[in-house]
Amino acid sequence: MTILIPILGDQLSLSLSALRGVEQKRAVLLMMEVDEETTYVRHHKAKIAFILSAMRHHAEALRTAGWTVDYVKLDDPDNAGSFTGELARAIERHHPERIIATLPGEWRVRAAMEEWADRFDVPVELREDDRFVCTHEEFDAWAEGRKQLRMEFFYREMRRKTGLLLDDEGKPEGGEWNYDSENRKPPPNEPLLIPQPLKFKPDAITRAVLDLVAKRFGNHPGSLDHFAFATTAEDAARQQAHFIRHALAKFGDYQDAMLTDQPFLWHSILSPYLNCGLLDPLELCRAVEKAWRDGKAPLNATEGFIRQIIGWREYVRGIYWREGPDYAQRNALNASRPLPGFYYDGQTDMHCLKQAIGQTMDHGYAHHIQRLMITGNFALIAGIDPHAVHLWYLEVYADAYEWVELPNTLGMSQFADGGLLASKPYASSGNYINSMSDYCQHCRYDVKAKTGAKACPFNLLYWDFLDRNEDVLGKNQRLAMPYRNWAKRADKDKQAIRADAERFLDSFTR
């Protein structure tokens, strides 16, 4: 009697809950490359190649571990094109007595899975995905009754639950929960040897996938020319060790910094591996903590990194499932402009956007400040439709799955949820970009000019954004100072900013 176990492309963990307690000789693991998943948005070519190659390598790892794997490739002529269609074909092949699956990470796929029991005359058991620190029930209990769901307080609960960076009395190491104030240094003036992440040469499996993606997804954004992702758990672990040894010590100081033609700096480049299951988040955090306890990394770097994993990553997952599938449609600021075409080719005179978008198209990667304060900030202050922004982020980043991307984009970046995640919009003029990068030094616009043809567009759009949205944002206490400054400006200055901002916006939305 066979147990059929579907395994999805972001469930590439040997410890997956669906496998637990199952006799290998009774199980068939079903892995499916399907058109529906590769095309529901126009995913970056490198993202598709990474996931498909990681799936094929994971199938081999499962077979080595003793499992029977039924693997359906994308170019199989009989491929049904969807998870449900492929499950129907597998049921015909294997005649299972039951189906066991780990719940997926997205509402869209969960809805399909929850129909399987009615569609097929086979019992279906859906198990929780326990590769996270916080369960849905724990998050809902923490959130219940709170008007604002601030990550900082949730993060402290996760520290207490895991014991990470706590002393023997259960208090935070160093006396503080959060060292973010020490993690905002601008890029260094003196040249430093910036460590580069490991690059993994494509093997035969990956080369076959790259050929398939090039032929099948030529109209999708992004390039395959720079593909260097790890596609096995072993290689992902090598990148983890490389980061801890060579980059962690400086990660805290420079995690918000940006430099021209330096896409990686001291960042870990581990999020694609965490989010597809090749790395375990808690094991990663314990390895980072050990580096601090061994004197190999400072506390601000260690705490800052761990906060991103057990704090922010767990928090946005909780928001995603608590708020429901309609969260994607929120638009508190009624932003409606279309996404500019240069978001797909980087062809703009704004050097910061050219850099962030260019490396995104090359690598399927940009770090969190480039996403929040360059591409996200511009979309916010330009009044771009937040749903279009959400779809773009979901398409172009190799680590983007809706559960982690949507709250980051709609809530944190675009303030489209009206302040559920963020206490204020993450909007800024060019001054922030100038203080945290060298981008403005290479730009044709003048970051110090407030109006006129040479003025940095971020300067124009920042004040225009505040002006356009005063009815919604004017009472936000964290924006009290900029609104006071705006009120003090002469009417002619306000009119000049409005007119210049309108001309600029019209230049790419005509």
Side-chain angles (χ1 to χ4, degrees):
M1 300 296 286
T2 300
I3 300 171
L4 186 61
I5 304 176
I7 296 179
L8 308 184
D10 59 350
Q11 297 180 343
L12 308 184
S13 307
L14 293 175
S15 61
L16 195 69
S17 63
L19 303 179
R20 209 164 296 142
V22 177
E23 291 184 64
Q24 289 184 333
K25 65 182 180 181
R26 296 182 60 202
V28 173
L29 312 188
L30 175 64
M31 298 187 70
M32 307 160 278
E33 302 173 2
V34 295
D35 189 64
E36 189 173 76
E37 295 305 302
T38 54
T39 60
Y40 71 91
V41 295
R42 292 171 60 247
H43 296 290
H44 194 299
K45 296 183 189 74
K47 178 182 182 180
I48 298 173
F50 163 64
I51 295 172
L52 296 189
S53 180
M55 288 176 64
R56 295 185 184 190
H57 283 93
H58 187 63
E60 294 305 310
L62 289 166
R63 291 181 178 119
T64 299
W67 297 97
T68 298
V69 180
D70 181 355
Y71 197 100
V72 182
K73 292 184 177 180
L74 194 62
D75 54 358
D76 184 325
D78 295 322
N79 192 313
S82 68
F83 289 147
T84 299
E86 277 306 311
L87 185 64
R89 291 207 310 136
I91 290 171
E92 291 180 359
R93 290 193 297 274
H94 302 293
H95 307 288
E97 64 170 328
R98 62 181 170 133
I99 296 167
I100 301 175
T102 294
L103 282 166
E106 299 187 0
W107 282 108
R108 175 183 57 82
V109 182
R110 181 165 182 160
M113 269 194 183
E114 289 176 342
E115 293 178 352
W116 289 351
D118 292 334
R119 182 182 289 259
F120 305 113
D121 188 23
V122 181
V124 177
E125 178 187 349
L126 299 179
R127 296 181 177 180
E128 292 296 328
D129 188 346
D130 57 8
R131 297 174 297 167
F132 295 86
V133 175
C134 185
T135 68
H136 297 321
E137 292 76 18
E138 287 172 330
F139 186 86
D140 289 345
W142 171 81
E144 187 65 32
R146 297 175 185 262
K147 292 182 179 180
Q148 294 180 321
L149 305 181
R150 294 291 171 256
M151 190 279 291
E152 176 63 27
F153 302 109
F154 169 78
Y155 163 59
R156 295 178 188 183
E157 293 302 313
M158 294 301 99
R159 288 272 294 278
R160 294 185 181 102
K161 181 177 181 178
T162 60
L164 286 162
L165 293 179
L166 297 184
D167 63 20
D168 292 339
E169 297 179 354
K171 296 179 180 179
E173 294 285 8
E176 301 291 339
W177 290 102
N178 185 317
Y179 291 90
D180 197 41
S181 61
E182 299 180 22
N183 293 347
R184 300 170 183 167
K185 292 183 180 178
N189 290 324
E190 71 277 8
L192 291 177
L193 184 61
I194 298 174
Q196 296 298 308
L198 297 178
K199 294 182 179 180
F200 298 92
K201 184 178 179 179
D203 63 6
I205 291 175
T206 300
R207 289 196 300 272
V209 169
L210 291 171
D211 289 343
L212 172 68
V213 171
K215 293 173 183 175
R216 194 173 183 117
F217 302 102
N219 66 336
H220 282 226
S223 170
L224 294 171
D225 294 343
H226 307 276
F227 189 92
F229 287 115
T231 54
T232 66
E234 293 77 13
D235 281 346
R238 288 177 58 202
Q239 175 55 32
Q240 173 180 311
H242 179 83
F243 163 70
I244 292 172
R245 180 177 180 181
H246 297 287
L248 174 61
K250 293 291 186 182
F251 165 79
D253 289 351
Y254 299 117
Q255 66 173 305
D256 290 0
M258 297 169 282
L259 281 172
T260 296
D261 296 332
Q262 292 286 347
F264 306 117
L265 297 176
W266 289 271
H267 290 271
S268 72
I269 328 298
L270 296 177
S271 54
Y273 314 137
L274 285 170
N275 292 351
C276 79
L278 293 180
L279 291 180
D280 179 87
L282 197 52
E283 290 180 5
L284 168 59
C285 287
R286 296 205 187 285
V288 167
E289 180 190 40
K290 184 178 186 301
W292 172 72
R293 295 195 183 280
D294 290 346
K296 297 177 181 178
L299 186 57
N300 70 305
T302 305
E303 185 278 319
F305 185 84
I306 288 174
R307 178 165 18 98
Q308 289 191 354
I309 307 300
I310 68 166
W312 193 253
R313 183 174 183 267
E314 297 279 337
Y315 169 75
V316 295
R317 178 177 181 258
I319 292 288
Y320 176 79
W321 288 108
R322 178 178 171 82
E323 294 304 306
D326 293 341
Y327 185 76
Q329 306 305 320
R330 296 187 191 181
N331 189 355
L333 300 180
N334 294 314
S336 60
R337 288 185 180 272
L339 190 74
F342 61 71
Y343 268 67
Y344 286 99
D345 60 18
Q347 296 304 304
T348 172
D349 289 337
M350 292 174 281
H351 184 69
C352 58
L353 282 162
K354 188 181 185 72
Q355 282 285 306
I357 294 168
Q359 75 173 60
T360 296
M361 292 301 133
D362 283 348
H363 303 289
Y365 171 81
H367 70 66
H368 66 288
I369 292 298
Q370 292 173 310
R371 300 189 204 193
L372 180 64
M373 300 308 299
I374 304 297
T375 52
N377 181 19
F378 182 86
L380 173 67
I381 60 180
I384 307 302
D385 178 351
H387 190 71
V389 181
H390 148 58
L391 293 179
W392 183 79
Y393 279 97
L394 186 59
E395 287 176 340
V396 301
Y397 290 113
D399 58 8
Y401 301 85
E402 193 178 71
W403 67 265
V404 66
E405 172 276 325
L406 179 62
N408 270 303
T409 302
L410 238 70
M412 187 68 169
S413 173
Q414 300 304 294
F415 204 72
D417 64 7
L420 179 70
L421 265 75
S423 57
K424 72 174 184 68
Y426 274 80
S428 82
S429 68
N431 288 337
Y432 175 84
I433 299 168
N434 193 37
S435 68
M436 295 306 298
S437 76
D438 68 348
Y439 290 160
C440 300
Q441 300 171 27
H442 305 282
C443 189
R444 86 163 182 85
Y445 293 104
D446 183 356
V447 70
K448 296 180 180 180
K450 309 303 179 186
T451 58
K454 291 287 290 181
C456 171
F458 283 83
N459 293 344
L460 302 172
L461 296 179
Y462 173 72
W463 292 109
D464 188 60
F465 165 78
L466 292 177
D467 185 46
R468 292 194 315 268
N469 293 289
E470 187 166 7
D471 288 347
V472 178
L473 302 175
K475 295 182 180 179
N476 186 308
Q477 290 302 307
R478 294 196 65 193
L479 294 175
M481 182 175 292
Y483 272 116
R484 282 197 298 270
N485 290 338
W486 178 248
K488 292 176 183 177
R489 290 190 176 223
D491 286 344
K492 67 175 184 177
D493 293 337
K494 292 180 180 179
Q495 289 299 331
I497 288 172
R498 292 178 184 127
D500 287 344
E502 184 176 3
R503 277 192 293 272
F504 176 79
L505 290 171
D506 287 345
S507 71
F508 66 77
T509 57
R510 282 197 293 268

